[in-house]
Amino acid sequence: MAISDVKEYAHLTPEDVEAIGAELDAIRREIEASRGERDAKYIRNVIRLQRALEFSGRAVLFASFLPPAWLAGTALLSTAKIIENMEIGHNVMHGQWDWMNDPEIHSATWEWDNVGPAEHWKITHNFLHHKYTNVLGMDDDIGYGLLRVTRDQRWAPFYLGQPVYNLLLQMFFEYGVAIQHLELGKVAKKKWEKDSPERKQFEADRRTVLKKVGKQVAKDYLFFPLLTGPAFLSTLTANITANVVRNVWTNAVIFCGHFPDGAEKFTKADVDNETHAEWYLRQMLGSANISGGPVLHFMSGNLSHQIEHHLFPDLPSNRLSKIAVRVRDLCDKYDLPYTTGSLPKQYAESWRTITKLSLPNKYLRRTTDDAPETRSERVFGGTTTVDPSTGRRRGLRTALKEGGRRVAERAAAVVG
């Protein structure tokens, strides 16, 4: 089951939690004070690179009836779309570059290159998801209203198909993002009166989504293919492929940051009287990183540093790698887990959870409080202790390791 007392689960005292919050506040102040021309140059260079890649890709597609040109143009356009969505659009709309006071690179004015309206995304993502990260019933990113990713979600026969649903969600992820704000499932259940304020707001939001979808479809599937004349069909397939590649990559990065083992879920009770320091702690426990090199970090929009992004969503993405070193040290200091792994590992765990939880709980082996995808404070009790033999803190990370050894020993005994 989900965590209902984050301090107890983390094996921390209230004083520990506030001390962690103070150290993270200090990191924020330091980064904010040091932002300057080097950071501004970084984002402007990224925008120039993205536009050059897109221009080159679209230019090459004029010859897309030739297979080598189709492959090259599609690769360039796919890369440009990934960079625009991940390192530019997502981060600009988080306000990471608002301090520059550049109206062209500002969260209030940026509209990204996919079918989801920026104004809706800033509500469902920037506010709801980041404020209520992995809180059941408050964060719609928990399964996106489509997938069961924790046993706290009651099983229904509908979930038997979720491996297929997730495959479709991967391919058409931008459309999932576009309709998320509309909350179509809730709309169907509420049956609002025609002239009610709620119905009028839904209709206004629906028109906004349809307008953005129409604009994107016309641009990618009509205007640019027509521009290439005799290469219309090959350019059309190249644009479709580029959007699917971008969608699958975006889905993979996001799922690796939220659904692998160690990215915990929480109940509403845990956030009713949450302090800012407790919010920090929830972000650390509810997010997961992807290990890799500079290219992976860049192409993921630096969301490979998902923990740091959730701690400081409005700090420049190019600073997250250095912030990560200090956050990991903080986790070591308080014996907290720092969930990270390679992209194949994190994505495989996410897919395993989605596939496994398509089945009713009675077919699952682990308990509801000690499943890899969702743990709670009920799996172990007690507060932080100090090992008398070493003088070192014994906290959550140690407790999880000890619990893992016990599970392995029980499995070995069953096999034996």
Side-chain angles (χ1 to χ4, degrees), residues 70-85:
W70 188 93
L71 286 171
T74 302
L76 288 166
L77 189 56
S78 299
T79 304
K81 284 180 172 288
I82 288 171
I83 294 171
E84 195 284 329
N85 269 216

Side-chain angles (χ1 to χ4, degrees), residues 9 264 337 375 380 395-405:
Y9 177 78
E264 305 298 350
R375 293 187 178 91
F380 38 62
L396 175 60
R397 183 167 59 187
T398 299
L400 290 174
K401 288 181 179 178
E402 291 175 349
R405 284 196 294 269

Side-chain angles (χ1 to χ4, degrees), residues 18-232:
E18 294 306 312
I20 290 172
E23 293 198 49
L24 291 171
D25 281 340
I27 293 174
R28 167 178 281 282
R29 289 192 298 269
E30 180 181 322
I31 299 299
E32 287 177 336
S34 64
R35 292 177 303 197
E37 184 56 33
R38 183 177 180 182
D39 302 291
K41 183 178 180 180
Y42 169 81
I43 188 59
R44 291 189 174 113
N45 284 341
V46 171
I47 291 172
R48 290 189 190 100
L49 171 65
Q50 187 275 328
R51 290 175 178 171
L53 288 168
E54 181 174 3
F55 179 84
S56 300
R58 296 201 184 279
V60 171
L61 289 176
F62 275 85
S64 59
F65 48 81
L66 300 173
W70 188 93
L71 286 171
T74 302
L76 288 166
L77 189 56
S78 299
T79 304
K81 284 180 172 288
I82 288 171
I83 294 171
E84 195 284 329
N85 269 216
M86 305 296 282
E87 182 66 348
I88 303 174
H90 171 273
N91 295 335
V92 169
M93 291 192 295
H94 260 299
Q96 294 182 11
W97 308 99
D98 286 2
W99 57 273
M100 294 166 56
N101 293 317
D102 184 336
E104 294 184 6
I105 313 175
H106 198 281
S107 62
T109 58
W110 193 273
E111 184 62 70
W112 55 357
D113 180 32
N114 69 45
V115 299
E119 61 183 282
H120 290 176
W121 184 85
K122 285 184 281 189
I123 296 172
T124 57
H125 183 83
N126 287 14
F127 175 68
L128 291 174
H129 171 60
H130 275 268
K131 181 176 176 62
Y132 302 111
T133 305
N134 282 12
V135 177
L136 295 163
M138 303 184 80
D139 180 7
D140 288 338
D141 280 18
I142 299 179
Y144 292 89
L146 184 68
L147 305 173
R148 183 179 185 239
V149 294
T150 171
R151 302 183 199 200
D152 296 271
Q153 297 168 281
R154 182 175 297 179
W155 184 86
F158 170 81
Y159 290 120
L160 288 170
Q162 68 179 27
V164 176
Y165 309 153
N166 191 43
L167 184 62
L168 294 173
L169 182 62
Q170 280 185 314
M171 296 176 64
F172 302 102
F173 193 60
E174 62 179 313
Y175 291 92
V177 170
I179 65 174
Q180 184 182 19
H181 182 80
L182 299 180
E183 299 183 303
L184 297 179
K186 295 180 181 179
V187 171
K189 293 177 182 178
K190 290 178 180 176
K191 299 179 180 179
W192 292 319
E193 295 294 331
K194 183 177 180 181
D195 295 325
S196 67
E198 295 87 355
R199 186 71 190 188
K200 289 180 179 178
Q201 183 61 54
F202 167 74
E203 293 295 340
D205 290 340
R206 183 170 64 90
R207 286 192 296 271
T208 300
V209 170
L210 290 175
K211 181 179 178 181
K212 182 68 188 295
V213 170
K215 180 180 178 181
Q216 290 295 122
V217 168
K219 174 178 72 72
D220 277 342
Y221 305 144
L222 188 60
F223 175 76
F224 280 114
L226 282 174
L227 201 61
T228 60
F232 174 86

Side-chain angles (χ1 to χ4, degrees), residues 120-384:
H120 290 176
W121 184 85
K122 285 184 281 189
I123 296 172
T124 57
H125 183 83
N126 287 14
F127 175 68
L128 291 174
H129 171 60
H130 275 268
K131 181 176 176 62
Y132 302 111
T133 305
N134 282 12
V135 177
L136 295 163
M138 303 184 80
D139 180 7
D140 288 338
D141 280 18
I142 299 179
Y144 292 89
L146 184 68
L147 305 173
R148 183 179 185 239
V149 294
T150 171
R151 302 183 199 200
D152 296 271
Q153 297 168 281
R154 182 175 297 179
W155 184 86
F158 170 81
Y159 290 120
L160 288 170
Q162 68 179 27
V164 176
Y165 309 153
N166 191 43
L167 184 62
L168 294 173
L169 182 62
Q170 280 185 314
M171 296 176 64
F172 302 102
F173 193 60
E174 62 179 313
Y175 291 92
V177 170
I179 65 174
Q180 184 182 19
H181 182 80
L182 299 180
E183 299 183 303
L184 297 179
K186 295 180 181 179
V187 171
K189 293 177 182 178
K190 290 178 180 176
K191 299 179 180 179
W192 292 319
E193 295 294 331
K194 183 177 180 181
D195 295 325
S196 67
E198 295 87 355
R199 186 71 190 188
K200 289 180 179 178
Q201 183 61 54
F202 167 74
E203 293 295 340
D205 290 340
R206 183 170 64 90
R207 286 192 296 271
T208 300
V209 170
L210 290 175
K211 181 179 178 181
K212 182 68 188 295
V213 170
K215 180 180 178 181
Q216 290 295 122
V217 168
K219 174 178 72 72
D220 277 342
Y221 305 144
L222 188 60
F223 175 76
F224 280 114
L226 282 174
L227 201 61
T228 60
F232 174 86
L233 287 178
S234 54
T235 301
L236 175 62
T237 60
N239 284 358
I240 292 172
T241 302
N243 280 328
V244 170
V245 169
R246 184 269 318 279
N247 291 342
V248 171
W249 175 255
T250 303
N251 174 278
V253 170
I254 291 173
F255 276 42
C256 285
H258 295 91
F259 302 135
D261 297 354
E264 305 298 350
K265 317 301 183 296
F266 308 88
T267 65
K268 292 180 182 179
D270 192 53
V271 300
D272 284 344
N273 299 298
E274 186 178 61
T275 67
H276 189 59
E278 290 167 351
W279 177 87
Y280 274 141
L281 180 59
R282 180 161 54 80
Q283 305 306 314
M284 295 168 74
L285 298 176
S287 306
N289 283 7
I290 307 171
S291 58
V295 174
L296 182 140
H297 295 319
F298 177 71
M299 292 301 292
S300 70
N302 279 289
L303 294 181
S304 49
H305 303 297
Q306 191 71 236
I307 297 171
E308 290 72 28
H309 170 62
H310 266 266
L311 290 170
F312 310 110
D314 57 349
L315 291 186
S317 59
N318 62 315
R319 298 296 196 96
L320 294 182
S321 60
K322 291 186 177 180
I323 293 174
V325 175
R326 298 175 66 176
V327 173
R328 187 188 284 268
D329 288 343
L330 194 58
C331 289
D332 289 342
K333 179 179 178 179
Y334 288 91
D335 197 19
L336 291 171
Y338 185 83
T339 304
T340 188
S342 68
L343 190 146
K345 173 181 178 294
Q346 303 292 65
Y347 204 37
E349 289 179 354
S350 301
W351 263 102
R352 184 210 60 210
T353 292
I354 290 166
T355 303
K356 181 175 70 174
L357 293 185
S358 67
L359 301 174
N361 287 351
K362 64 181 179 180
Y363 294 110
L364 307 178
R365 290 186 300 172
R366 300 287 288 272
T367 69
T368 56
D369 291 319
D370 192 22
E373 72 281 354
T374 309
R375 293 187 178 91
S376 83
E377 68 277 8
R378 290 175 289 278
V379 73
F380 38 62
T383 58
T384 305

